[in-house]
Amino acid sequence: MPCRTVLNIIDLHKRYGQLEVLHGVSLEVKKGQVLVVVGPSGCGKSTLLRCINGLEPIDSGNIELNGGSITDGKTRWNLVRQKIGMVFQSYDLFPHMTVMENILLGPLKAQGRNRAEVEHEAEELLERVGLLDRRDSWPGQLSGGQKQRVAIVRALCMQPEIMLFDEVTASLDPEMVREVLDVMLELARRGMTMIIVTHEMAFAKAVADRVIFMDAGVIVESAPPDQFFENPASERARKFLNIFQFTGVTKEEQTDEKNGSN
Ligand SMILES: Nc1ncnc2c1ncn2[C@@H]1O[C@H](COP(=O)(O)OP(=O)(O)OP(=O)(O)O)[C@@H](O)[C@H]1O
Ligand SMILES: [Mg+2]
């Protein structure tokens, strides 16, 4: 069971000009834990992830990684970001580099690691996501789902302590969503520490150790998935989940539910 705290966010406030987007968010992530963050559009989910890996400066509060503050102004972000892997909605592979070159770039250039060793690790990871035969392909030759799986491998190859995923399936065609979600489920099974922002509620229920429901820049609920999805404590969460029953569930998931599986 999870024990050591990997990431600790304490009373985080973030504003864009006059607009305060995060109003005192506190969150603890233990080693091996999978947190899934859900909430309405604009509630601050992406902003939270962007603050965690230093893409946005924070206004007050503190973020600690492995017990040390990364928001005290002394942070060397190029080092910290090696420990925090992030995958976004848009897969940002370099188009002029092959799959393997894309993956090797960070470990070789930023971490100065041995090429043969990293290449071996990259091949193992590509195998795990079913893309070893694509190691020498160009990004332009891959489908969206394949590109997104390469983006995940690229982040994993840096050997991060924690992975952040921001709606990584949102721009994929429905038939490619599953293959990417399966990779994340497999990572969870292997004990990767993760924060996942998603609108895929059936996936959230399956993968989460804890669901964080945000609304208007605050954490409204933090609960185990069964409790959150079956018996949410707040009216706001109930409304949010109701909307999803009508708009957010795919046909495939509706059929799964009727068949009694998840
Ligand atoms: N760079 C920016 N400058 C100004 N305002 C911003 C900026 N980025 C985000 N915002 C605002 O901050 C709020 C939170 O945005 P954020 O992207 O974190 O929401 P979200 O929960 O990720 O939404 P979605 O589910 O649509 O991705 C929104 O009101 C948004 O308009
Ligand atoms: Mg977002």
Side-chain angles (χ1 to χ4, degrees):
M1 268 283 96
C3 41
R4 179 168 71 81
T5 298
V6 174
L7 188 78
N8 199 12
I9 301 170
I10 306 145
D11 197 24
L12 174 61
H13 289 256
K14 166 70 187 170
R15 53 172 66 246
Y16 292 110
Q18 297 287 61
L19 178 73
E20 189 167 65
V21 176
L22 299 176
H23 311 270
V25 168
S26 297
L27 194 65
E28 197 178 350
V29 191
K30 305 267 193 191
K31 187 167 173 49
Q33 216 178 14
V34 179
L35 294 194
V36 173
V37 182
V38 301
S41 183
C43 72
K45 305 179 296 293
S46 296
T47 303
L48 175 63
L49 294 194
R50 292 170 61 78
C51 288
I52 294 172
N53 84 342
L55 294 173
E56 292 290 347
I58 69 170
D59 290 292
S60 65
N62 193 7
I63 304 178
E64 293 170 354
L65 182 70
N66 293 329
S69 176
I70 56 172
T71 44
D72 59 2
K74 300 180 201 142
T75 306
R76 293 171 66 194
W77 281 107
N78 56 336
L79 296 183
V80 170
R81 286 206 193 98
Q82 294 176 20
K83 298 195 164 73
I84 306 176
M86 183 148 175
V87 185
F88 302 89
Q89 180 174 337
S90 61
Y91 18 82
D92 50 347
L93 301 176
F94 292 111
H96 60 290
M97 291 180 170
T98 64
V99 164
M100 185 53 91
E101 286 166 353
N102 263 284
I103 297 169
L104 294 182
L105 190 65
L108 297 188
K109 290 268 190 250
Q111 295 180 321
R113 285 166 60 199
N114 172 279
R115 173 179 278 268
E117 175 200 306
V118 184
E119 214 169 306
H120 179 67
E121 195 182 319
E123 282 173 352
E124 277 184 3
L125 288 166
L126 282 171
E127 170 99 68
R128 263 167 61 187
V129 305
L131 289 176
L132 186 53
D133 59 337
R134 295 310 197 120
R135 53 163 285 156
D136 300 315
S137 299
W138 302 98
Q141 299 173 318
L142 303 181
S143 72
Q146 289 170 334
K147 276 187 255 195
Q148 204 55 308
R149 283 183 280 157
V150 172
I152 293 172
V153 166
R154 184 176 56 174
L156 288 175
C157 216
M158 299 287 278
Q159 303 180 327
E161 286 265 340
I162 183 167
M163 288 281 288
L164 313 178
F165 294 94
D166 193 359
E167 297 203 42
V168 294
T169 60
S171 58
L172 297 180
D173 290 339
E175 66 270 26
M176 288 163 198
V177 169
R178 175 61 53 190
E179 64 195 28
V180 175
L181 297 183
D182 282 345
V183 168
M184 288 194 276
L185 275 168
E186 167 67 9
L187 282 180
R189 259 183 238 119
R190 286 174 177 252
M192 176 56 79
T193 312
M194 305 196 270
I195 304 179
I196 301 173
V197 171
T198 185
H199 283 119
E200 300 279 340
M201 292 300 140
F203 167 68
K205 196 172 173 182
V207 78
D209 291 312
R210 184 158 279 274
V211 178
I212 308 295
F213 172 63
M214 285 180 71
D215 193 12
V218 295
I219 294 178
V220 178
E221 280 191 49
S222 164
D226 288 351
Q227 189 181 319
F228 178 75
F229 287 105
E230 269 136 52
N231 195 14
S234 65
E235 183 58 30
R236 281 199 268 180
R238 272 195 290 278
K239 273 200 180 135
F240 174 75
L241 289 172
N242 268 336
I243 291 167
F244 262 93
Q245 276 185 350
F246 295 109
T247 61
V249 181
T250 65
K251 280 205 182 77
E252 186 191 348
E253 285 155 6
Q254 282 170 352
T255 315
D256 283 352
E257 269 170 27
K258 271 183 218 145
N259 294 339
S261 70
N262 55 7

